[in-house]
Amino acid sequence: MEYQKPIPLKTQDNSPYWDGADRHELILQKCNCCHQYSHPPGPSCAKCGSSELSWESQGSDINGKVYSYIVSYRPFLPGFQDDLPLVIAIVELDMLPQVKLIGNILHCSPEEIEMGMPVKMVWKDIMDDRSIPQWIQV
Amino acid sequence: MESIKNRYAIVGVGESERSKNSGTTPLHLALDAARAALNDAGLKAKDIDGFMSYSENDSCTSHQLATYLGVRPKYVKDILGGGSSTEMLIADAVGLIESGQLNTVLIYRSMNGRSGVRMGGGGWNVNMLQTAIEGGSFIIPYGAGSPAQWFGLFATRHMHETGLTQEHLGHVCLAFYEHAQRNPKAYFHGKPLTMDEYLKTPYLSYPFKKHDFCLESDEANAIIVTSAERAEGCKSRPVYIMGLSARQCVSHAHYWNDLTEVAADYVAPEVYKMAGVKPEDIDVASIYDCYSWVVLRQLEAYGFAPRGEVGNFVAEGNLRIGGKLPSNTAGGMLSEGYTHGMNNVLEIVRQVRHEYKGTDRQVENCEIGICTGWAGPDMAGAMILRN
Ligand SMILES: [Zn+2]
Ligand SMILES: [Zn+2]
């Protein structure tokens, strides 16, 4: 069945991240000047303005904790109508707590979700050549 | 530049009809609001030499409005913007008047916010959203396409850290809905809300129920800003600007890294310093209320209750008329109408003027009011006004 949800758009500024995701690998942008991570990635460092940027692989085995979450009971975007209630969370990475990613906690009911809950990144193949990182409870 | 304290005033406010289906264009609505504000000030359209507006590409231009008022102004300006734009444009107007370029500026917001382009979503092109929103491709594919969801992510974390509860969100809604019952022009006039009903209402997007969302309406609002000297010649009772701080970004540029820091935390000390007052000197407030929670976070930022005690502050009924900080006394965007904050500016002006004197809508002895804008964690604006 055709994937009905929005597919991440690759752009000049973010393609290493999404190309990495397609390979099931987390690639983060890092500033060579202030040494902070930039997520989401951009045309230059949003913390110091430097355009000296590099991309750093974090591998495929990523763990984190729920930093914040909401539960959507309405599909605010097309394609999510069969996924309700939908848990959308901000996940703080265990190895890089300064980096937070937004994703869905899959197979997680509103009763189960809580702040600080440990989660693990899983790679969801959404098309032949496209994947996105998602999260499941550990 | 010297301090602008008390040297500029809002001399006119006006609005169009409010509805869910205006059946007319934003230009017609803007003309109605502008004429009402001119009438309120006792000014002629030709007295206005600057026209400014903000929109999300859902309005008419300042040039069009001036044209159909029969004015050829010196200056027109239309910016893209939502919350806190009113305060920012007032700051611009003050700067242009201060430098001698303009005398009197009309600022408006006009939108078919319900029958036209709806902020609440629906009908958006998802690929357009991914590119239009900073970092959009990192949220849209996960179903996070509504401001309710983005603000919700801030709200739940803040609630977790400070002990705010669902009831505390409900107290904000209850206070504003109660005010709407005294305002025949409020959209939810005749629709009172009880805590029981609030708590029983299902979530649309936890932690928000429908009452926690601002409504969507078709309407226009206008305000007129001029110097204190010119204000004396106006028909209305001038409301003087004591302090004004426009947008300021937070120290981090991306939304999701630090939810403890919002632009209002930076704007608050500036606006109090310029005005020379403290939170306890404020008699009445308009707090930007796109969602109930943003009111709670702003009460914390503007020093009305310390972090961790904001919930008790609202539970004690302090946002109600008769409380310590009567807020959004026309019902706010949660229950009166929605023009990206400008309806709240109109109301604070009317309260500080004592326009409702003799009715149960008037906040007693209110001499100083605060109006806050909020466009998200990264932008804020606020002004302090006096009689
Ligand atoms: Zn940097
Ligand atoms: Zn004519």
Side-chain angles (χ1 to χ4, degrees):
Chain A
M1 196 174 70
E2 203 186 332
Y3 189 70
Q4 292 185 354
K5 294 169 194 157
I7 294 162
L9 280 183
K10 290 183 184 178
T11 68
Q12 183 181 357
D13 297 324
N14 72 21
S15 55
Y17 180 96
W18 291 116
D19 289 343
D22 295 342
R23 304 190 302 269
H24 296 192
E25 196 181 343
L26 180 65
I27 308 282
L28 293 175
Q29 191 180 54
K30 194 173 182 182
C31 175
N32 298 344
C33 194
C34 72
H35 308 294
Q36 299 195 69
Y37 289 89
S38 297
H39 185 82
S44 60
C45 173
K47 297 183 172 107
C48 79
S50 168
S51 48
E52 303 287 312
L53 301 165
S54 52
W55 296 91
E56 198 181 88
S57 176
Q58 309 300 324
S60 302
D61 197 11
I62 310 292
N63 289 281
K65 290 180 188 66
V66 171
Y67 177 76
S68 194
Y69 67 90
I70 59 140
V71 186
S72 259
Y73 292 86
R74 291 276 175 90
F76 288 90
L77 290 169
F80 292 91
Q81 61 279 355
D82 300 326
D83 291 13
L84 306 176
L86 174 73
V87 177
I88 301 171
I90 301 176
V91 176
E92 182 180 278
L93 302 188
D94 282 351
M95 55 189 174
L96 299 168
Q98 65 272 42
V99 177
K100 298 183 179 76
L101 306 182
I102 290 180
N104 303 124
I105 315 291
L106 305 178
H107 321 297
C108 178
S109 72
E111 292 74 34
E112 291 169 287
I113 181 82
E114 60 180 15
M115 297 290 175
M117 189 173 89
V119 289
K120 178 179 176 48
M121 189 177 276
V122 292
W123 300 93
K124 298 303 284 185
D125 297 330
I126 59 175
M127 294 168 65
D128 281 349
D129 55 349
R130 294 299 304 272
S131 293
I132 61 170
Q134 289 284 26
W135 301 91
I136 51 165
Q137 291 169 262
V138 173
Chain B
M1 194 168 96
E2 287 174 63
S3 169
I4 59 133
K5 182 180 176 181
N6 296 331
R7 293 177 44 223
Y8 294 89
I10 297 174
V11 293
V13 292
E15 73 260 56
S16 71
E17 265 190 35
R18 170 179 297 132
S19 70
K20 285 212 174 186
N21 190 358
S22 70
T24 189
T25 64
L27 176 56
H28 277 269
L29 296 174
L31 283 162
D32 289 349
R35 288 180 182 128
L38 288 165
N39 187 47
D40 181 48
L43 292 171
K44 295 191 176 67
K46 287 189 166 63
D47 296 324
I48 307 295
D49 49 8
F51 288 82
M52 300 181 179
S53 78
Y54 60 99
S55 80
E56 302 276 357
N57 283 325
D58 54 2
S59 186
C60 61
T61 64
S62 296
H63 177 76
Q64 286 176 299
L65 177 64
T67 296
Y68 291 107
L69 287 170
V71 182
R72 308 292 171 262
K74 278 185 175 171
Y75 191 90
V76 291
K77 173 175 196 162
D78 301 297
I79 62 164
L80 282 180
S84 76
S85 298
T86 321
E87 291 79 9
M88 185 176 125
L89 289 178
I90 292 171
D92 287 1
V94 164
L96 286 160
I97 301 169
E98 179 77 13
S99 64
Q101 298 183 70
L102 298 177
N103 292 320
T104 304
V105 177
L106 185 143
I107 300 168
Y108 69 96
R109 174 75 174 109
S110 182
M111 59 202 284
N112 279 324
R114 172 71 197 198
S115 69
V117 182
R118 293 179 63 181
M119 286 300 141
W124 297 107
N125 176 299
V126 292
N127 285 345
M128 183 278 285
L129 279 179
Q130 286 199 51
T131 48
I133 301 165
E134 185 67 33
S137 67
F138 296 86
I139 55 176
I140 300 299
Y142 298 104
S146 163
Q149 298 166 315
W150 312 333
F151 287 121
L153 287 168
F154 287 91
T156 51
R157 181 69 197 179
H158 184 242
M159 291 165 77
H160 171 72
E161 289 181 3
T162 64
L164 286 171
T165 64
Q166 194 74 49
E167 282 89 339
H168 294 143
L169 300 189
H171 281 294
V172 174
C173 303
L174 259 58
F176 297 179
Y177 273 67
E178 182 178 291
H179 297 155
Q181 306 320 308
R182 297 171 181 171
N183 174 8
K185 288 183 175 172
Y187 203 82
F188 288 141
H189 181 73
K191 300 238 170 75
L193 178 65
T194 64
M195 184 58 82
D196 195 41
E197 183 190 343
Y198 172 80
L199 291 174
K200 278 183 184 157
T201 301
Y203 290 109
L204 291 176
S205 181
Y206 170 85
F208 299 145
K209 299 157 180 249
K210 66 177 182 184
H211 307 104
D212 297 296
F213 285 64
C214 62
L215 53 87
E216 295 173 306
S217 55
D218 293 0
E219 64 177 299
N221 298 159
I223 62 175
I224 298 172
V225 179
T226 194
S227 64
E229 300 81 63
R230 285 180 189 275
E232 282 169 27
C234 290
K235 184 179 84 178
S236 59
R237 186 172 179 172
V239 170
Y240 296 97
I241 299 168
M242 299 178 76
L244 175 62
S245 179
R247 293 182 184 188
Q248 189 164 355
C249 282
V250 293
S251 61
H252 65 91
H254 190 259
Y255 278 178
W256 313 110
N257 278 329
D258 182 3
L259 301 193
T260 62
E261 186 186 45
V262 297
D265 296 335
Y266 294 83
V267 165
E270 286 198 350
V271 75
Y272 285 123
K273 187 178 165 205
M274 189 189 288
V277 298
K278 295 186 172 67
E280 52 269 33
D281 301 319
I282 305 289
D283 304 310
V284 61
S286 279
I287 312 282
Y288 196 84
D289 56 336
C290 49
Y291 297 94
S292 58
W293 169 77
V294 308
V295 174
L296 296 167
R297 183 61 182 85
Q298 287 172 96
L299 291 172
E300 183 182 298
Y302 288 96
F304 294 110
R307 185 173 171 86
E309 292 173 35
V310 175
N312 283 341
F313 182 82
V314 298
E316 285 162 3
N318 284 315
L319 300 183
R320 295 178 162 164
I321 292 176
K324 279 186 197 152
L325 188 74
S327 298
N328 301 29
T329 49
M333 297 198 293
L334 295 185
S335 53
E336 185 198 30
Y338 174 66
T339 51
H340 269 133
M342 204 182 273
N343 57 311
N344 285 347
V345 179
L346 267 58
E347 175 64 7
I348 201 83
V349 167
R350 287 168 173 160
Q351 282 290 352
V352 170
R353 275 180 185 176
H354 304 164
E355 194 167 310
Y356 306 119
K357 205 172 163 89
T359 76
D360 63 358
R361 286 181 69 180
Q362 182 64 50
V363 173
E364 293 288 325
N365 304 316
C366 71
E367 300 302 315
I368 300 180
I370 193 168
C371 182
T372 75
W374 162 289
D378 57 339
M379 291 176 196
M383 61 182 169
I384 294 175
L385 304 168
R386 73 166 177 84
N387 191 324

